[in-house]
């Protein structure tokens, strides 16, 4: 653990954003003895959605030294349940049945508790942490000749501005995408658009015994719902659909009422919530998928959602964010030590990782509402261990030597063959999705615009 005390406004590294990515990379670099300053725009604990983690998060917690603390605030998640209105049965998948049986579970957490835990851990390891401090601008070209330091402008809650001059900048600003916006590098994913409306419920019906913590996905005509049990008895329920659904169907209803109206479109979900009570006002978010033209440059990197965001269907966000923190920290550490060649090699590897993760998950996300995918998920078969490979991907096992690649190609072959067998339905679904993506692009607004109420909590894209 780092014990050196740092001061002044010329640190080695400034990290923008105190979420999972930012707190993780700050902790790793501070533990290496670097002077790290971490800025969080809000005050922990603060609300955030994205409560479900993946099994491959667990070894990252081990490496960070926080596994016991995370498990203490979480509920075990052994797998996933898929529920379809077009099928009588429920389809269950267990992570213990993946190709590598060593990672049989993950956890669900309240993000307010989880994010604060990681943020405080970074401080324990020596990072200088600041809350209620929003980074407003980064000038990478402000360095005087020979100095090679950026200028980072920061504004506190009272509007007082300070300037910091780090050697290196790490953007972990989440969907604020600070550097990507500054560099005009952010690009919306033209193949996918969605928005979400969600709330937390008490007394929602749960599965018995060890299945209690399983995440459930409910399909409905316009998209899908998540159903995430939390440790304190609360259940997180959210609807994800194309923005047009929210625009065309809300018709003046309050967010709370509209969420309940949407839940009614999934009768099996409504049955589980028949005795439940919404604990707080519903929340909206525009979840347009996006990425950036690049994830690193001279003296900076962009990690987590600051680089790319994909639909949260497979709970990939926190895992991809934390994994990117580990990969970037390795490169930044070498760069700060003056090991330029080794750092460049690591940064090239970091770039590959940043592109690979979202690409793997996105293939499934783009097609999750298709009849062929529903058929495969609701009637799974482990031919040539393809079901095991699928579970490995859903567990986040994307960056090791687990042989999922060939079996993924086999899975894709079966998917396209199923599309042929379901040709009229497949074409109809494809045309519907294409029309909604085109409409969203033409209107150039997120679904959250259709959902906002004055005074209602909303997470912006």
């Amino acid at each position: 653990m780092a014990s050196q005390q740092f001061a002044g406004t010329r640190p080695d590294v400034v990290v923008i954003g105190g979420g999972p990515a930012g707190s993780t990379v700050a902790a790793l670099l501070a533990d290496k003895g670097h002077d790290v300053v971490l800025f969080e725009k809000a005050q922990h604990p603060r609300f955030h959605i994205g409560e479900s983690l993946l099994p491959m998060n667990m070894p990252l917690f081990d490496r960070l030294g926080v596994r016991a603390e995370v498990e203490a605030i979480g509920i075990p998640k052994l797998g996933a349940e898929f529920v379809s209105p077009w099928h009588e049965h429920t389809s269950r998948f267990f992570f213990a049945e993946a190709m590598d049986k060593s990672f049989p579970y993950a956890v669900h957490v309240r993000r307010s508790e989880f994010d604060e835990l990681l943020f405080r851990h970074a401080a324990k390891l020596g990072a200088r942490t600041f809350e209620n401090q929003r980074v407003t601008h980064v000038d990478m070209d402000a360095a005087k000749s020979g100095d090679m330091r950026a200028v980072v402008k920061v504004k506190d809650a009272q509007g007082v501005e300070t300037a910091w001059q780090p050697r290196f900048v790490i953007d972990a600003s989440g969907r604020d995408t600070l550097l990507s916006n500054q560099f005009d590098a952010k690009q919306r994913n033209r193949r996918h658009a969605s928005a979400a409306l969600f709330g937390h419920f008490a007394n929602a019906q749960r599965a018995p015994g060890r299945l209690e913590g399983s995440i459930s996905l409910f399909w409905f005509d316009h998209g899908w719902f998540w159903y995430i049990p939390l440790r304190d008895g609360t259940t997180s329920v959210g609807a994800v659909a194309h923005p047009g659904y929210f625009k065309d169907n809300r018709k003046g209803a309050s967010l709370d009422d509209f969420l309940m109206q949407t839940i009614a479109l999934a009768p099996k979900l409504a049955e589980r919530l028949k005795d439940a009570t919404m604990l707080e006002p519903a929340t909206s978010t525009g979840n347009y998928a996006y990425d950036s033209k690049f994830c690193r440059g001279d003296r900076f990197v962009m990690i987590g959602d600051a680089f790319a965001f994909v639909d949260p269907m497979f709970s990939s966000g926190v895992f991809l964010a934390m994994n990117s923190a580990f990969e970037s920290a390795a490169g930044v550490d070498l760069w700060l030590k003056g090991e330029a060649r080794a750092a460049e090699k690591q940064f090239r590897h970091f770039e590959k990782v940043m592109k690979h993760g979202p690409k793997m998950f996105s293939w499934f996300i783009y097609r999750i509402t298709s009849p062929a995918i529903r058929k495969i998920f609701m009637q799974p078969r482990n031919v040539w261990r393809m079901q095991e490979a699928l579970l490995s991907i859903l567990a986040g096992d994307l960056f090791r030597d687990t042989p999922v690649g060939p079996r993924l190609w086999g899975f894709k072959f079966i998917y396209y063959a199923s599309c042929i067998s379901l040709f009229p339905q497949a074409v109809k679904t494809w045309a519907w999705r294409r029309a909604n993506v085109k409409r969203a692009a033409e209107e150039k607004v997120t679904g959250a615009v259709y959902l906002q109420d004055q005074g209602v909590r909303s997470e912006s894209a």
Side-chain angles (χ1 to χ4, degrees):
M1 181 178 294
S3 59
Q4 185 174 356
Q5 297 296 312
F6 295 103
T9 58
R10 291 169 62 85
D12 294 321
V13 181
V14 159
V15 180
I16 306 168
S23 293
T24 297
V25 76
L28 293 170
L29 291 173
D31 198 40
K32 292 287 188 180
H34 302 297
D35 181 8
V36 181
V37 174
L38 171 60
F39 291 110
E40 163 57 36
K41 66 181 180 181
Q43 175 73 43
H44 286 291
R46 82 284 192 270
F47 175 81
H48 205 287
I49 201 62
E51 299 112 331
S52 189
L53 309 181
L54 298 184
M56 293 310 296
N57 272 112
M58 308 313 287
L60 299 184
F61 297 146
D62 286 331
R63 293 169 63 185
L64 199 57
V66 296
R67 181 170 183 150
E69 292 92 330
V70 171
E71 291 194 353
I73 64 170
I75 183 173
K77 168 189 173 182
L78 302 182
E81 171 193 38
F82 290 82
V83 184
S84 166
W86 303 280
H87 298 80
E88 291 296 325
H89 67 285
T90 289
S91 183
R92 290 189 179 275
F93 296 83
F94 295 96
F95 296 126
E97 298 172 355
M99 298 193 75
D100 187 335
K101 319 300 183 187
S102 305
F103 308 97
Y105 71 96
V107 291
H108 303 301
V109 292
R110 272 196 179 273
R111 283 289 301 278
S112 56
E113 297 177 81
F114 174 74
D115 289 12
E116 182 174 23
L117 186 159
L118 295 183
F119 188 82
R120 305 300 176 210
H121 184 70
K124 289 178 185 177
L125 293 185
R128 291 194 272 162
T129 58
F130 296 87
E131 296 168 270
N132 294 310
Q133 301 269 351
R134 179 185 289 273
V135 175
T136 58
H137 187 76
V138 177
D139 189 346
M140 299 302 304
D141 300 319
K144 297 178 181 178
S145 178
D147 193 14
M148 297 304 292
R149 288 178 179 265
V151 173
V152 178
K153 297 290 183 67
V154 183
K155 187 173 293 186
D156 67 15
Q158 287 71 45
V160 177
E161 189 173 78
T162 55
W164 298 71
Q165 294 177 283
R167 295 171 60 196
F168 204 97
V169 176
I170 300 176
D171 184 4
S173 61
R175 283 182 282 166
D176 286 350
T177 57
L178 183 75
L179 287 184
S180 191
N181 283 328
Q182 273 194 209
F183 297 144
D184 195 26
K186 186 174 181 178
Q187 47 195 10
R188 283 201 174 140
N189 189 322
R190 299 299 179 187
R191 298 181 63 189
H192 190 72
S194 63
L197 175 62
F198 49 91
H200 290 92
F201 292 80
N203 300 318
Q205 181 182 332
R206 296 188 175 188
R210 70 189 190 99
L211 299 179
E212 178 185 4
S214 294
I215 187 172
S216 300
L217 182 149
F218 293 80
W219 279 292
F220 73 115
D221 283 337
H222 303 281
W224 61 277
F225 288 92
W226 74 73
Y227 190 91
I228 301 174
L230 301 176
R231 186 182 183 89
D232 62 1
T234 303
T235 302
S236 174
V237 179
V240 179
H242 59 90
Y245 165 74
F246 298 113
K247 182 178 183 181
D248 296 339
N249 293 277
R250 185 179 175 188
K251 298 179 180 178
S254 69
L255 280 185
D256 291 359
D257 289 342
F258 189 44
L259 175 57
M260 298 310 298
Q261 291 168 16
T262 305
I263 288 171
L265 300 179
K268 294 179 182 179
L269 172 60
E271 176 66 19
R272 293 198 193 179
L273 294 173
K274 66 180 181 179
D275 299 320
T277 304
M278 197 185 307
L279 295 173
E280 52 203 10
T283 306
S284 65
T285 180
N287 280 343
Y288 275 111
Y290 61 81
D291 62 9
S292 300
K293 297 175 184 176
F294 46 82
C295 61
R296 60 122 176 178
D298 180 26
R299 295 168 287 130
F300 74 88
V301 293
M302 299 180 288
I303 62 176
D305 289 353
F307 166 70
F309 176 80
V310 296
D311 190 297
M313 170 162 291
F314 296 119
S315 308
S316 60
V318 172
F319 168 66
L320 292 178
M322 291 188 66
N323 190 70
S324 71
F326 275 88
E327 295 292 349
S328 63
V332 176
D333 175 51
L334 291 167
W335 187 89
L336 292 171
K337 291 175 179 176
E339 301 178 31
R341 291 183 64 182
E344 179 61 26
K345 181 178 179 181
Q346 175 58 30
F347 282 136
R348 287 198 297 268
H349 174 70
F350 162 72
E351 285 181 306
K352 293 179 181 178
V353 166
M354 294 298 287
K355 295 174 183 176
H356 180 65
K359 180 180 178 181
M360 289 288 282
F361 283 112
S362 293
W363 188 90
F364 294 94
I365 290 167
Y366 297 156
R367 296 163 177 83
I368 198 63
T369 56
S370 73
I373 282 287
R374 284 201 302 267
K375 178 181 178 181
I376 294 171
F377 273 80
M378 295 305 294
Q379 299 172 350
R381 297 174 60 196
N382 196 29
V383 178
W384 196 41
R385 300 185 70 187
M386 281 189 286
Q387 182 177 330
E388 293 177 63
L390 172 62
L391 282 165
S392 294
I393 293 170
L394 299 186
D397 196 358
L398 311 177
F399 306 112
R400 304 186 310 144
D401 295 328
T402 306
V404 299
R407 290 165 177 83
L408 178 59
W409 283 110
F411 181 92
K412 290 180 178 180
F413 175 81
I414 291 176
Y415 165 77
Y416 290 117
S418 296
C419 285
I420 294 173
S421 68
L422 299 168
F423 188 73
Q425 292 172 270
V427 170
K428 182 179 179 181
T429 301
W430 173 84
W432 170 81
R433 183 167 61 86
R434 181 179 176 85
N436 282 306
V437 170
K438 182 179 180 181
R439 176 183 177 186
E442 289 173 348
E443 293 178 353
K444 296 182 180 179
V445 292
T446 68
V449 171
Y450 310 135
L451 296 172
Q452 288 170 353
D453 276 342
Q454 187 174 1
V456 173
R457 181 178 55 194
S458 177
E459 290 193 343
S460 60

